[in-house]
Amino acid sequence: MRTRELHEGWTVRAAGGPAPAGIADAEVPAVVPGVVHQALLDAGLIPDPYLDDNEAKLAWIGLVDWSYRTRLVPSEAEFAAERLELAFDGLDTVASITLDGELLAEVANQHRRYRLDVTGRIRPGGSELVVAFRSPVRYANAQSLALGVRPRPYPMPYDAIRKSACSFGWDWGIATYTSGIWRAVRLEAWSTARLAEVRVHAAPEGDGGVVTASVEVDRASDTGLELELEAAGASARVGLPAGERSAEVRVELPSVERWWPVGYGSQPLYDVAVRLYGPHGPLDGTSRRVGFRTLRWDTAPDAAGHPFQLIVNDRPVWVKGANWIPDDALPSRIDRARYERRLRQAVAANLNLVRVWGGGIYESDDFYELCDELGLLSWQDFLFACAAYPEEEPLRSEVAAEAHDNVVRLAHHASLALFTGNNENLWGFEDWDWKRRLEGRSWGAYYYHELFPAVIAELAPHVPYTPGSPFSPDDGRHPNDESSGSTHLWEQWNRRDWASYREHTPRFVAEFGWQGPPVWSTLTRALSDDPLTPESPGMIGHQKAIEGNQKLSVGLVPHYRVPDDMDAWHWAMQLNQANAVSAALDHFRSHAPHTSGAIVWQLNDCWPVTSWAAIDGDEREKPLFFALANAFAPRVVTVQPREGGLVAVLGNDADEEWVGELVFARRDFGGDELAAATVPVSVAARAAVTVPIPVEVAMARDAASELLTAELGSVRGWWFFTEPRDSALDEALLEVEATAVDDGYEVTVTAATLARDVTLLVDKLDPAATIDRGLVTLLPGESVVFRVAGLARVFNAAAFADPRVLRSGNQLVAR
């Protein structure tokens, strides 16, 4: 097999539609892999779509047909091969592919790969290869009419085209309407035979393991072949007689190490090679990296309903997760280094799972390989989200092809914990008035309940599957019944205060979250509003949620007053976002093992926007990031309200027993102890213990000026008897010292008064600056050391003490 990437020498031009003057007649160098936005940006023909109101100014791009072209000149060796094929790993989305004007294929699916036979069709001097894309907006609209309009939450009919749904815009996402050769394209020359499909599975057996490779071959000649599998130094071969196209080969290994999720053990990976031989030697080969582990989800009914408990290597895992969206709205710009930065941030936030949400993309191989290496479990939705989808042709066959393609591509990964049929479509069918509006039309049930389970059973029976998220394993229950399976909780953000999370005790939470603006330097880079206010034009353009700013304010006022100053408003909304998710996670974790995990919406952003993300579109960590790290820490103490009063819940997500004296103290805001108690405790490994708090400690005399702490060793939980806005919280008196170290500064903050949620917003000193922690509450006399890195120049303590940089909850209460 000879493989040559075809990434150079492409141009792109508008081929029809409302392209403006200066672009309509331009043919510019094209980025491949890439989309047309990148070519136009590189040519200086459009502004950055992420800035100000440029999204609206560039909406015409999705109404234009775009034509990519290059000159294809094979080498002598490529011409001499028995087969010459074009391999496209991704085309976005509806395109005609021609060679010297002769049609090779018409395609209409961003989520699958294509292979086109060009044997004998390329001229000796070279041929012109053209990939002509149709406007995705006009195509989707036409298909929606042809297939029948179906319910969805947004105007554009993303359900009528097999394209990333969020490219048409979402409640956190910019509408880009991309077109382009968005993944790799190659010219592949081969003779005799090639590996057409390789499925590798690693399974532990006792102290050892078995690696199996199931292979399909394409043949150019009918001759005997040999297939070799090599894994961890062991190998095996099987023959493929003339005419045979399928084979399976396995290798048994006497000793292997188990792969574990991060926090539960190491992540040993083993290299696997699959090679194809003909009568005269090697023909083709490929490689995989695998890990040995068992994985299942326990949904067996119990007295409380149906759990949704992840079990890896026969050990229950409490899922600490976040939902993942495409990390850039122009996803071809995401390289391996960027994936690694983001996923390492996930590990730093103490996550052990990322859920790839169904309105985005099947991520690149780099994403899943990094999850394997880092021990981050991956949950992969099939790409259906929040809408009724037609089951008729041409979509029916396209969905089958993309499911086959992506199950084969992803199923060998040790990190892959679950395939899920869709996001919220089972729920939507029940609750969102779909039945009446569909009037008998198909809505996707065939995909979720028949097609996908059949594809997985055939190609990857070792990978668990659920028809949707949320989903109840009990067919008689509502799909979002919190007593059974997975649950999404959105009433808090949409209609209720976040304190009402405590009214729910779900078995597993797959989505919940709270909005907040991006980091200040991200916001001010993206917007040139003067003045910048919560309702200035750029802010509104970068707030995609329905009544988003109103919900931010309504969600803040039970806890803090809405500030008039923009800088303070920004901090208040970021802090409330962090507090909302912290309270929810502390509550959910306090109900382990009844609640077996929580997946926050969302980890990342695809552009600079007010959203639910913990990491904004410029890759910067919001205060929410530190809320996740704190709530998902291996060991936590939280104070929780129960019917009988306040309790302390100790969560020990470590392999060692946690033993010591649990110290309760009720104090006034000046730090003076008013009541105390000590209880000896022992928390088993990977377990939780609930300890009632003595009434003399748990009952405040003056709720507005008292607090409660529960401490085991260096781990402390807090309880405030009133909301900050109703409390006697005064100005935070903080002393700051800054010491230069090799990679930045150690900034010591010492509190002379009670200080809630102390955080350094270091990006205001330098947009490249980072910090190791946030949201630290200090009693009078206590200190915390922040480590700051990435500063390009020297700063003194006064710079870190600037009240716009050194933030606390006190600033939103004290007058």
Side-chain angles (χ1 to χ4, degrees):
M1 168 83 77
R2 291 177 179 270
T3 298
R4 178 161 57 97
E5 290 184 337
L6 301 178
H7 295 166
E8 306 297 327
W10 289 89
T11 62
V12 64
R13 64 176 181 83
I23 295 178
D25 301 325
E27 186 158 7
V28 300
V31 181
V32 174
V35 294
V36 67
H37 292 71
Q38 293 169 261
L40 299 177
L41 281 165
D42 289 349
L45 294 174
I46 61 171
D48 187 336
Y50 293 179
L51 305 184
D52 295 317
D53 62 347
N54 292 340
E55 174 190 9
K57 294 177 181 177
L58 298 177
W60 59 267
I61 292 175
L63 295 168
V64 172
D65 300 332
W66 297 96
S67 184
Y68 282 71
R69 68 185 64 239
T70 191
R71 192 77 181 164
L72 191 55
V73 184
S75 65
E76 290 185 11
E78 289 168 336
F79 265 124
E82 291 182 87
R83 292 287 187 273
L84 197 57
E85 295 175 334
L86 284 169
F88 292 93
D89 285 348
L91 294 170
D92 180 14
T93 290
V94 182
S96 298
I97 305 167
T98 60
L99 192 66
D100 291 328
E102 181 182 355
L103 182 66
L104 296 178
E106 292 183 329
V107 302
N109 193 331
Q110 181 183 3
H111 307 310
R112 58 175 292 199
R113 295 176 286 188
Y114 298 96
R115 176 173 292 271
L116 310 178
D117 189 354
V118 293
T119 309
R121 304 176 83 165
I122 303 177
R123 297 170 181 169
S127 291
E128 184 180 57
L129 176 63
V130 176
V131 183
F133 291 95
R134 293 177 60 181
S135 155
V137 172
R138 289 187 286 133
Y139 177 87
N141 280 323
Q143 285 297 102
S144 181
L145 291 176
L147 294 166
V149 176
R150 285 166 169 78
R152 58 181 180 272
Y154 303 110
M156 286 291 179
Y158 63 83
D159 54 312
I161 182 174
R162 292 313 297 151
K163 175 176 171 59
S164 174
C166 63
S167 73
F168 292 91
W170 215 260
D171 58 4
W172 38 258
I174 179 175
T176 51
Y177 317 118
T178 50
S179 292
I181 305 171
W182 80 291
R183 282 185 166 159
V185 54
R186 300 176 302 281
L187 186 64
E188 296 190 347
W190 55 278
S191 297
T192 307
R194 74 171 190 93
L195 296 171
E197 180 175 294
V198 176
R199 306 191 306 276
V200 173
H201 175 47
E205 284 192 3
D207 293 332
V210 175
V211 180
T212 305
S214 302
V215 174
E216 305 289 328
V217 299
D218 282 345
R219 287 178 171 273
S221 58
D222 218 8
T223 185
L225 304 170
E226 217 173 31
L227 184 69
E228 180 185 49
L229 171 63
E230 182 180 357
S235 63
R237 287 196 180 200
V238 296
L240 278 81
E244 291 291 328
R245 295 181 178 272
S246 302
E248 184 175 286
V249 58
R250 54 184 272 149
V251 168
E252 296 185 5
L253 303 175
S255 177
V256 298
E257 294 182 69
R258 293 289 183 106
W259 183 97
W260 291 94
V262 61
Y264 285 76
S266 61
Q267 294 80 43
L269 295 171
Y270 294 80
D271 292 322
V272 174
V274 179
R275 304 182 186 98
L276 184 66
Y277 295 88
H280 305 293
L283 298 173
D284 198 2
T286 189
S287 62
R288 305 283 190 273
R289 296 187 79 198
V290 300
F292 292 88
R293 52 64 172 166
T294 62
L295 186 150
R296 62 188 177 88
W297 295 81
D298 179 13
T299 60
D302 58 23
H306 288 73
F308 196 61
Q309 174 65 66
L310 175 63
I311 297 177
V312 180
N313 296 325
D314 298 322
R315 294 180 62 187
V317 172
W318 207 89
V319 170
K320 305 172 182 178
N323 285 272
W324 173 279
I325 65 170
D327 205 51
D328 195 315
L330 307 180
S332 47
R333 299 199 296 195
I334 310 168
D335 59 11
R336 187 181 181 92
R338 180 163 170 174
Y339 277 126
E340 184 166 3
R341 290 195 300 274
R342 198 66 58 255
L343 294 173
R344 286 193 180 277
Q345 286 175 304
V347 172
N350 290 316
L351 301 185
N352 59 24
L353 181 145
V354 286
R355 174 190 172 216
V356 183
W357 167 76
I361 59 176
Y362 300 101
E363 298 290 343
S364 79
D365 293 338
D366 290 330
F367 175 90
Y368 306 96
E369 289 168 5
L370 287 162
C371 286
D372 293 344
E373 294 171 13
L374 295 172
L376 273 173
L377 296 158
S378 56
W379 163 334
Q380 177 67 62
D381 284 5
F382 286 98
L383 299 186
F384 297 79
C386 305
Y389 284 80
E391 298 170 14
E392 291 74 35
E393 297 293 354
L395 286 186
R396 193 181 185 95
S397 295
E398 288 294 340
V399 170
E402 80 178 56
H404 185 286
D405 198 357
N406 287 285
V407 169
V408 167
R409 182 170 70 92
L410 303 179
H412 72 278
H413 286 286
S415 60
L416 182 61
L418 187 69
F419 278 121
T420 293
N422 67 80
N423 176 74
E424 298 189 344
N425 293 351
L426 306 183
W427 183 15
F429 183 70
E430 292 298 328
D431 282 2
W432 300 348
D433 197 31
W434 286 11
K435 295 175 184 177
R436 182 174 64 87
R437 294 156 63 194
L438 282 166
E439 295 188 314
R441 290 192 181 102
S442 63
W443 59 277
Y446 162 73
Y447 302 139
Y448 317 137
H449 296 296
E450 297 182 48
L451 175 64
F452 296 155
V455 169
I456 291 170
E458 176 191 358
L459 303 174
H462 59 281
V463 181
Y465 172 78
T466 61
S469 181
F471 165 70
S472 172
D474 182 346
D475 289 340
R477 294 179 186 258
H478 190 281
N480 202 33
D481 184 335
E482 68 178 62
S483 70
S484 182
S486 60
T487 300
H488 293 193
L489 293 174
W490 283 114
E491 285 300 297
Q492 284 68 31
W493 162 252
N494 284 316
R495 278 168 281 276
R496 306 188 65 200
D497 178 35
W498 53 256
S500 67
Y501 283 123
R502 297 190 181 108
E503 298 172 12
H504 299 272
T505 53
R507 305 310 302 267
F508 187 99
V509 190
E511 275 191 26
F512 76 99
W514 204 268
Q515 262 205 349
V519 167
W520 185 258
S521 56
T522 299
L523 191 66
T524 54
R525 182 194 71 82
L527 304 181
S528 56
D529 293 356
D530 187 14
L532 180 65
T533 76
E535 288 81 29
S536 57
M539 285 292 294
I540 295 302
H542 287 69
Q543 166 60 278
K544 297 297 184 179
I546 297 171
E547 299 179 340
N549 275 13
Q550 179 180 337
K551 291 175 182 177
L552 284 173
S553 295
V554 169
L556 180 71
V557 292
H559 312 283
Y560 293 101
R561 293 175 179 85
V562 179
D564 295 323
D565 170 71
M566 179 61 186
D567 195 277
W569 180 92
H570 174 265
W571 164 239
M573 296 308 174
Q574 286 201 324
L575 178 59
N576 199 47
Q577 177 186 34
N579 289 167
V581 174
S582 288
L585 289 177
D586 289 347
H587 167 70
F588 297 144
R589 192 168 174 183
S590 79
H591 285 279
H594 174 89
T595 300
S596 60
I599 306 179
V600 177
W601 186 272
Q602 65 209 63
L603 179 66
N604 58 326
D605 262 331
C606 62
W607 72 309
V609 65
T610 297
S611 85
W612 296 262
I615 304 165
D616 74 19
D618 281 4
E619 307 190 46
R620 299 188 178 101
E621 295 160 359
K622 295 158 65 171
L624 173 58
F625 177 88
F626 300 107
L628 299 184
N630 296 341
F632 282 151
R635 286 175 169 168
V636 295
V637 177
T638 68
V639 178
Q640 299 293 326
R642 295 287 193 263
E643 286 187 8
L646 294 177
V647 299
V649 183
L650 289 66
N652 180 23
D653 196 18
D655 285 329
E656 299 78 29
E657 184 183 22
W658 192 18
V659 179
E661 298 286 324
L662 178 61
V663 179
F664 298 112
R666 179 164 52 84
R667 295 179 171 90
D668 62 27
F669 281 7
D672 292 333
E673 190 175 280
L674 305 175
T678 300
V679 179
V681 293
S682 174
V683 190
R686 310 292 177 182
V689 168
T690 299
V691 180
I693 300 176
V695 65
E696 66 271 16
V697 182
M699 294 291 289
R701 296 176 184 171
D702 180 5
S705 62
E706 295 180 18
L707 62 91
L708 185 153
T709 59
E711 295 181 68
L712 179 55
S714 61
V715 183
R716 177 188 287 168
W718 299 85
W719 183 260
F720 290 86
F721 295 97
T722 60
E723 293 293 342
R725 65 170 296 152
D726 301 321
S727 75
L729 194 64
D730 206 346
E731 178 184 1
L733 300 180
L734 303 171
E735 180 183 327
V736 179
E737 296 178 0
T739 303
V741 293
D742 288 344
D743 59 346
Y745 288 88
E746 289 185 350
V747 179
T748 302
V749 178
T750 302
T753 60
L754 173 67
R756 293 190 65 171
D757 291 316
V758 176
T759 303
L760 279 173
L761 304 182
V762 292
D763 70 289
K764 292 181 177 178
L765 300 178
D766 187 327
T770 61
I771 195 163
D772 69 328
R773 67 189 63 201
L775 305 171
V776 180
T777 295
L778 299 172
L779 292 170
E782 292 184 335
S783 299
V784 61
V785 178
F786 296 96
R787 294 184 175 273
V788 183
L791 295 170
R793 62 185 182 88
V794 175
F795 289 92
N796 57 27
F800 293 106
D802 183 328
R804 295 176 63 255
V805 175
L806 180 58
R807 283 295 193 179
S808 70
N810 303 51
Q811 294 169 318
L812 303 173
V813 176
R815 296 298 180 185

